[in-house]
Amino acid sequence: MGSGGRLTGNRLQGVVGGRRGCNGAEELARAGACEVTGEWKSRSPVKTGLPLWMLGLGADLLWADMNRLLAFLFHQGVLDEQFLQLQQLQDETSPNFVSEVVNIYFHESEKLLRNLRGLLMEREFSDYKKMGIHLNQLMGSSSSIGAKRVTNVCLAFRAATEHNNRPGCLRALEMLEHEYCYLKNKLHELFQIEQQRALAAGVRYPVQNN
Amino acid sequence: MDSHQLTALVVGDDRMLRIIHGKMLNSVGVKNQVVQNGKEAIHLHLSAQTFDLILIDMDMPIMNGIQAIKELRSLGICSIIVGVSARCMESHIQEFMEARLDDYFEKPLNIAKLTSFIHKI
């Protein structure tokens, strides 16, 4: 994420397809967010025959795309202010801090999710304490990157383990896997836009062939 | 005390949290080292290294934070020990205090919590 990646009122009022005034869910929907599923889709680049990054305008448009996606994720409760903490920690000495940390989170979380599923699928499952340990780890790391919805599902899951409620745990696990996948897809999308923006920002003039 | 004079040890088995907590301490000017578990923290102290502050994850599955703190205190370690936990219910707080933890934070730790705590040192 760039060093100016914090959400501010000004950023939320960026240009959306040439129109000023990004004012929340309605605008996000026009920008490509699906009202029913909440899916967000990037706008297509302007068709000029040249790759967007070569136009030198790409960086600004991609910056706006990034901020819209972030605003959407905050609005949907997928992320919370802890994600901004990570962005604050990113600097010249660690320019990819956010993506590196989040990629470690994905790697570790998938192990924990596999462990949880493995435990629950055991025929004679009864080790709710072990499940609680995995959940505490997942909850701690999810809350530390600002993954709000994942954290909330972990809370509900933990409550089910404390009541030795296996059906409740199974339902919570399904929900957790769903929320985790959604988060992962959206963050990958965010990092992709950021990569494209960084490329575009490095190009100020169209490439000339001599 | 100026935070730039402080040294800290970050103890935690979660690699991501070690990185985040280490970076947070760096951002407020606290030099720090990072270890993966309570045993490594104890080894460091046995090799005569000392730290002003020990930031320890209470949720480590192998040697949990409580056990690690009890061992550190039994070695006579007087550093300020702060626990970070995914849950801070009354029963857990009681356990933390009995282990002679100086303070605790519920995860997630953020720069504001860390800064306000360091100013108290």
Side-chain angles (χ1 to χ4, degrees), chain A residues 18-89:
Chain A
R19 290 167 288 123
R20 288 216 169 265
C22 179
N23 59 2
E26 206 178 283
E27 200 63 26
L28 285 167
R30 278 199 286 270
C34 169
E35 214 173 294
V36 173
T37 65
E39 288 296 311
W40 187 92
K41 291 175 183 157
S42 300
R43 292 175 297 107
S44 322
V46 173
K47 290 181 181 164
T48 62
L50 282 174
L52 194 61
W53 63 268
M54 288 177 71
L55 295 175
L57 300 172
D60 290 339
L61 291 173
L62 288 165
W63 181 251
D65 270 354
M66 255 174 61
N67 283 325
R68 266 194 300 277
L69 178 52
L70 265 177
F72 174 74
L73 293 174
F74 274 78
H75 180 73
Q76 292 287 305
V78 176
L79 294 177
D80 64 22
E81 61 277 356
Q82 187 67 16
F83 190 78
L84 299 179
Q85 287 283 305
L86 295 190
Q87 292 184 315
Q88 262 190 290
L89 293 173

Side-chain angles (χ1 to χ4, degrees), chain A residues 153-202:
Chain A
V153 177
C154 286
L155 268 170
F157 197 156
R158 194 168 67 183
T161 65
E162 285 162 2
H163 289 94
N164 291 2
N165 177 359
R166 191 172 177 182
C169 288
L170 277 164
R171 280 193 296 274
L173 178 61
E174 298 276 341
M175 210 177 332
L176 185 56
E177 286 167 342
H178 171 80
E179 286 297 340
Y180 170 79
C181 284
Y182 185 73
L183 172 76
K184 187 173 178 181
N185 287 339
K186 288 301 159 197
L187 287 180
H188 271 152
E189 197 173 332
L190 195 65
F191 296 146
Q192 248 181 339
I193 300 172
E194 162 62 3
Q195 270 183 334
Q196 289 166 359
R197 189 196 68 83
L199 265 173

Side-chain angles (χ1 to χ4, degrees), chain A residues 82 85-86 89 91 93-94 97 101 104-105 136-137 139-141 143-145 158 162, chain B residues 13-17 19-21 23-24 27 59 61 86-87 107-112:
Chain A
Q82 187 67 16
Q85 287 283 305
L86 295 190
L89 293 173
D91 57 22
T93 63
S94 48
F97 179 76
V101 159
I104 296 171
Y105 166 75
N136 269 347
Q137 280 190 273
M139 215 168 84
S141 55
S143 66
S144 298
I145 66 151
R158 194 168 67 183
E162 285 162 2
Chain B
D13 66 316
D14 186 312
R15 188 174 145 220
M16 187 196 80
L17 288 178
I19 292 172
I20 292 176
H21 293 165
K23 192 79 171 149
M24 281 183 180
S27 76
D59 304 320
R87 60 189 321 186
K107 288 173 186 168
L109 185 61
N110 59 42
I111 295 169

